[in-house]
Amino acid sequence: MEIFMFLAYAVVGGLLALALAASATFTLQRNEQVVAGIRKVQVPDSWLPGLAALKAAGALGLVAGLWVTPLGVAAAVGVTLYFVGAVISHLRVKDYELAPAAVLALVAAAALALRILA
């Protein structure tokens, strides 16, 4: 049973890491669609490098978590909290286009549960 949980974590965590790496890259490149979404929730542009660094760290931690369980757990916790914060940021400004952030929060929570169970 543990092997199935580990394989599920590898798939979910790996795909989430790819999404985070892409998002971090687009944030650093100041991709207009990404920046527009961040500005919509009133986050200052000066935060973009820090947000990109958090996403990149989450991606690296999820991948490293394949070999070091506590690192994978910590990364999944951090990514879950990051996207819960994103959902809260959308709600704070009454922007209800929060599906991407909510889905990523749920995927991160799933990665966390799978890594704990593996």
Side-chain angles (χ1 to χ4, degrees):
M1 183 66 149
E2 279 185 27
I3 189 70
F4 295 116
M5 293 297 176
F6 177 79
L7 291 173
Y9 170 77
V11 170
V12 172
L15 291 174
L16 181 57
L18 282 174
L20 288 167
S23 182
T25 301
F26 291 142
T27 301
L28 282 176
Q29 293 174 343
R30 295 183 183 260
N31 174 281
E32 193 53 44
Q33 186 176 5
V34 172
V35 172
I38 292 172
R39 286 183 182 146
K40 196 175 200 181
V41 295
Q42 301 174 352
V43 172
D45 286 355
S46 63
W47 287 26
L48 292 176
L51 294 174
L54 288 172
K55 292 184 234 184
L60 290 172
L62 289 168
V63 172
L66 291 167
W67 294 275
V68 183
T69 300
L71 191 53
V73 170
V77 167
V79 173
T80 302
L81 292 174
Y82 178 94
F83 286 109
V84 167
V87 169
I88 292 168
S89 294
H90 281 275
L91 293 173
R92 180 181 54 83
V93 298
K94 296 179 175 44
D95 173 28
Y96 301 109
E97 295 178 25
L98 49 84
V103 167
L104 288 168
L106 291 172
V107 171
L112 173 60
L114 290 167
R115 193 61 194 119
I116 289 171
L117 295 172

